[in-house]
Structures are given as structure tokens and as C-alpha cells.
Amino acid sequence: MVDLSDFLDPGEDEPAEAEAADLAALKACLQALADAVASTNLAVLNGTQGDAAAAAARVQASIGALKRFHDAFTVLDTEGGEQA
């Protein structure tokens, strides 16, 4: 689990580069998760409209976004936080 209190009140023992990397990874996680949700919703809409090709493309986009989320989350997970 990621502790956000360090971002709100950073300690002096942590270098600024690590904070910037953590914030960039957190931003990437949130953006990828939002992309995955949006793509999934659009896939459902395209599926109900009978457009199978568009739905399949949106499912692939959702999978790609989830892979980006996983990659960004591993950066946060390796920074020493506990796993839930």
C-alpha cells in the first residue's frame, strides 16, 4: 500500500528525484486506470450498438491501459511500501 503522507509533508531524508518519480508513477497509474475504465465503458456501448469491431478495439485499448497501470504501479510498489 502506498502512503501518501510523504507526498503531503516530504521528509528531508528522501531525495527530490525520488519524490518526482513517485508522483509521476502515481499520475501514470491514475491516468491508465481512467483510460481502462473509459475504454471498457465504450466497449460496452459499442457492443450494445452491434459494432463488434469497435467493441473489440476498445477492449484491446482497455487491456493496453491496464498493462500501463501495472507497469506504473510496479514503480510505486518497489519503492518500499507494504503490499495489501
Side-chain angles (χ1 to χ4, degrees):
M1 188 103 174
V2 177
D3 182 18
L4 295 179
S5 64
D6 290 337
F7 297 117
L8 301 175
D9 187 22
E12 293 180 13
D13 59 339
E14 193 172 337
E17 295 87 27
E19 286 179 28
D22 286 349
L23 286 175
L26 184 59
K27 181 181 176 184
C29 279
L30 294 175
Q31 183 63 50
L33 195 57
D35 290 346
V37 169
S39 293
T40 303
N41 288 342
L42 289 173
V44 170
L45 288 174
N46 289 341
T48 59
Q49 294 172 347
D51 191 355
R58 285 299 174 186
V59 168
Q60 289 176 348
S62 181
I63 291 169
L66 288 173
K67 286 180 181 177
R68 286 190 348 256
F69 171 80
H70 181 268
D71 293 341
F73 189 78
T74 56
V75 172
L76 293 175
D77 197 29
T78 60
E79 291 296 323
E82 292 181 25
Q83 285 187 337

